[in-house]
């Protein structure tokens, strides 16, 4: 599982809990490049929360190519707080 961090204070805790469930996961910044995600080949993605509003002009957003990859692979995706609105 790939956890994409939008600045949440609990992203490391989410990662730890996923690992405690026996699932391998990695934590990456929301600025992750699409090529890095393709190389990792996740079976699922968790989008963490963060301090921004999706309506903020300077709010971070995933590259459109990442969304295309998620759709192409029909990856299960869970969003938490900001990540759900992304």
């Amino acid at each position: 599982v790939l956890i994409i961090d939008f600045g949440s204070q609990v992203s490391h805790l989410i990662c730890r809990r996923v690992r405690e469930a026996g699932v391998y996961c990695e934590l990456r910044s929301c600025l992750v490049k699409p090529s890095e995600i393709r190389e990792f080949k996740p079976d699922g993605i968790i989008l963490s929360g963060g301090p921004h509003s999706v309506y903020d002009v300077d709010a971070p957003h995933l590259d459109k190519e990442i969304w295309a990859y998620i759709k192409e692979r029909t990856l299960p995706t869970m969003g938490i707080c900001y990540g759900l609105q992304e």
Side-chain angles (χ1 to χ4, degrees):
V1 170
L2 179 63
I3 299 172
I4 298 178
D5 181 19
F6 284 93
S8 172
Q9 296 177 350
V10 296
S11 293
H12 290 281
L13 176 61
I14 295 166
C15 207
R16 187 175 86 205
R17 295 293 186 210
V18 170
R19 289 177 181 149
E20 286 174 356
V23 177
Y24 178 80
C25 71
E26 289 188 14
L27 178 63
R28 303 282 175 89
S29 161
C30 61
L31 303 176
V32 64
K33 293 181 171 62
S35 60
E36 294 177 58
I37 293 178
R38 289 186 186 279
E39 287 174 24
F40 181 65
K41 298 180 184 168
D43 291 322
I45 292 181
I46 297 174
L47 305 173
S48 79
H52 300 280
S53 165
V54 291
Y55 302 111
D56 289 346
V57 175
D58 61 343
H61 295 284
L62 289 180
D63 187 300
K64 290 180 181 179
E65 194 176 325
I66 294 172
W67 287 113
Y69 178 74
I70 290 170
K71 186 176 179 181
E72 168 191 318
R73 293 220 28 234
T74 58
L75 289 175
T77 304
M78 180 174 83
I80 301 171
C81 200
Y82 178 92
L84 178 63
Q85 298 175 48
E86 170 58 15

